């Protein structure tokens, strides 16, 4: 008899650090990358073709939720339906723009935030710096688009840009979990944007000169005229 796969536990999911794929059963796997990123995969074979479907990060999907998604996907496979193609079909039918995804994400997360003011602040940088990608379908957002939003302010407003990147990453993760996009997150930092932008702790933000005390202004202008 084939050896039964010993399932994962929530504690084991958190403790695993070595890269590789770890089976839970029924086609569900935990994938750990060399950079420490942990995501769920559903592996299956259909019509002689082996495929694997990404289910999202462990930060967004618990072990129990991943098992439920994998179980539903396995039922589709048993009925001759490719769950990847089906998810893509549904995504195309119900495609939303990045701007719409932002609104839905904020609505979902608002109850967990401290107050309405924080929700407005959270959206402020998105509205300011992501106008160029707001109308674009969420499944079409790629790395160059993300960089186009954050790179112009990375040196001058490094902390703001870093937070903006994290917000975009969260929105795209939400979109993937809800079937609006697939594939890797183009806003992820480790092993991706870290290769295109300097780490924020290595950047010296550009700052303007301090203003001159008003009492010194009358003394400054005569000196300035003498320098011409």
């Amino acid at each position: 008899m084939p050896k039964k796969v010993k399932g994962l536990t929530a504690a084991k999911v958190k403790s695993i650090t070595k890269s590789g794929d770890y089976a839970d059963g029924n086609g569900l796997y935990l994938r750990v990358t060399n950079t420490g990123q942990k995501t769920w995969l559903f592996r299956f074979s259909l019509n002689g073709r082996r495929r694997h479907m990404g289910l999202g990060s462990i930060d967004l999907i618990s072990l129990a939720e991943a098992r439920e998604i994998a179980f539903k996907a396995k039922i589709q496979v048993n009925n001759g339906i490719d769950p990847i193609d089906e998810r893509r079909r549904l995504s195309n039918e119900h495609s939303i723009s990045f701007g719409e995804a932002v609104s839905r994400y904020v609505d979902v997360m608002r109850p967990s935030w401290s107050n309405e003011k924080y929700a407005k602040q959270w959206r402020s940088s998105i509205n300011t710096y992501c106008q160029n990608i707001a109308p674009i379908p969420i499944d079409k957002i790629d790395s160059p688009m993300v960089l186009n939003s954050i790179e112009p302010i990375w040196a001058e407003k490094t902390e703001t840009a870093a937070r903006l990147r994290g917000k975009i990453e969260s929105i795209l993760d939400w979109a993937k979990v809800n079937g609006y996009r697939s594939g890797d997150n183009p806003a992820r930092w480790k092993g991706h944007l870290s290769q295109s932008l300097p780490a924020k702790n290595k950047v010296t933000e550009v700052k303007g000169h301090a203003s001159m005390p008003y009492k010194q202004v009358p003394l400054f202008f005569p000196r300035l005229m003498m320098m011409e």
Side-chain angles (χ1 to χ4, degrees), residues 1-5:
M1 292 181 64
K3 187 177 180 180
K4 186 177 180 180
V5 176

Side-chain angles (χ1 to χ4, degrees), residues 44-101:
F44 64 97
S45 295
L46 186 64
N47 299 324
R49 183 184 181 189
R50 292 184 178 182
R51 306 195 73 183
H52 67 264
M53 180 171 72
L55 305 183
S57 167
I58 66 167
D59 295 327
L60 293 172
I61 301 179
S62 67
L63 174 59
E65 291 170 332
R67 284 172 174 168
E68 182 178 356
I69 296 172
F71 177 74
K72 292 179 180 179
K74 189 169 185 178
I75 292 177
Q76 290 179 316
V77 173
N78 291 341
N79 285 281
I81 299 172
D82 188 318
I84 296 177
D85 292 342
E86 181 66 8
R87 183 169 66 178
R88 186 177 295 116
R89 182 186 68 80
L90 293 174
S91 176
N92 291 335
E93 288 183 358
H94 306 287
S95 181
I96 61 174
S97 68
F98 179 82
E100 291 173 315

Side-chain angles (χ1 to χ4, degrees), residues 91-92 95-96 136-142 172 175 180-182:
S91 176
N92 291 335
S95 181
I96 61 174
I136 297 175
I138 192 72
D139 59 321
K140 302 300 182 184
I141 302 297
D142 57 18
L172 296 179
Y180 293 113
R181 61 176 290 122
S182 59

Side-chain angles (χ1 to χ4, degrees), residues 53-205:
M53 180 171 72
L55 305 183
S57 167
I58 66 167
D59 295 327
L60 293 172
I61 301 179
S62 67
L63 174 59
E65 291 170 332
R67 284 172 174 168
E68 182 178 356
I69 296 172
F71 177 74
K72 292 179 180 179
K74 189 169 185 178
I75 292 177
Q76 290 179 316
V77 173
N78 291 341
N79 285 281
I81 299 172
D82 188 318
I84 296 177
D85 292 342
E86 181 66 8
R87 183 169 66 178
R88 186 177 295 116
R89 182 186 68 80
L90 293 174
S91 176
N92 291 335
E93 288 183 358
H94 306 287
S95 181
I96 61 174
S97 68
F98 179 82
E100 291 173 315
V102 172
S103 296
R104 296 191 188 186
Y105 178 83
V106 171
D107 288 342
V108 169
M109 299 302 296
R110 183 182 281 114
S112 67
W113 291 342
S114 55
N115 51 53
E116 186 63 27
K117 181 179 179 181
Y118 178 79
K120 291 180 179 179
Q121 291 175 339
W122 199 95
R123 293 192 62 163
S124 177
S125 59
I126 292 287
N127 293 337
T128 301
Y129 300 110
C130 295
Q131 294 180 9
N132 59 320
I133 62 175
I136 297 175
I138 192 72
D139 59 321
K140 302 300 182 184
I141 302 297
D142 57 18
S143 300
M145 293 179 188
V146 175
L147 281 171
N148 192 42
S149 295
I150 64 177
E151 191 171 20
I153 61 171
W154 194 262
E156 295 183 358
K157 301 178 180 179
T158 309
E159 188 61 36
T160 298
R163 291 177 180 174
L164 177 63
R165 183 208 62 77
K167 292 174 182 179
I168 296 174
E169 182 179 18
S170 295
I171 293 164
L172 296 179
D173 275 343
W174 173 89
K176 181 176 180 177
V177 170
N178 286 276
Y180 293 113
R181 61 176 290 122
S182 59
D184 292 332
N185 193 320
R188 67 191 186 281
W189 178 255
K190 289 185 178 180
H192 190 60
L193 293 187
S194 61
Q195 305 303 307
S196 298
L197 297 168
K200 67 176 185 178
N201 61 347
K202 301 293 184 181
V203 178
T204 301
E205 292 193 19

Side-chain angles (χ1 to χ4, degrees), residues 8 12-14 16-24 27-43 52-63 65-67 69-70 87 169 172-173 176-177 182-186 188 190:
L8 298 169
K12 187 174 182 180
V13 169
K14 290 183 178 180
I16 293 175
T17 57
K18 185 178 180 180
S19 61
D21 291 349
Y22 298 84
D24 180 65
L28 178 64
Y29 287 79
L30 170 69
R31 169 163 290 180
V32 182
T33 67
N34 292 329
T35 60
Q37 185 180 24
K38 297 179 181 180
T39 56
W40 298 110
L41 293 177
F42 173 65
R43 290 182 178 178
H52 67 264
M53 180 171 72
L55 305 183
S57 167
I58 66 167
D59 295 327
L60 293 172
I61 301 179
S62 67
L63 174 59
E65 291 170 332
R67 284 172 174 168
I69 296 172
R87 183 169 66 178
E169 182 179 18
L172 296 179
D173 275 343
K176 181 176 180 177
V177 170
S182 59
D184 292 332
N185 193 320
R188 67 191 186 281
K190 289 185 178 180

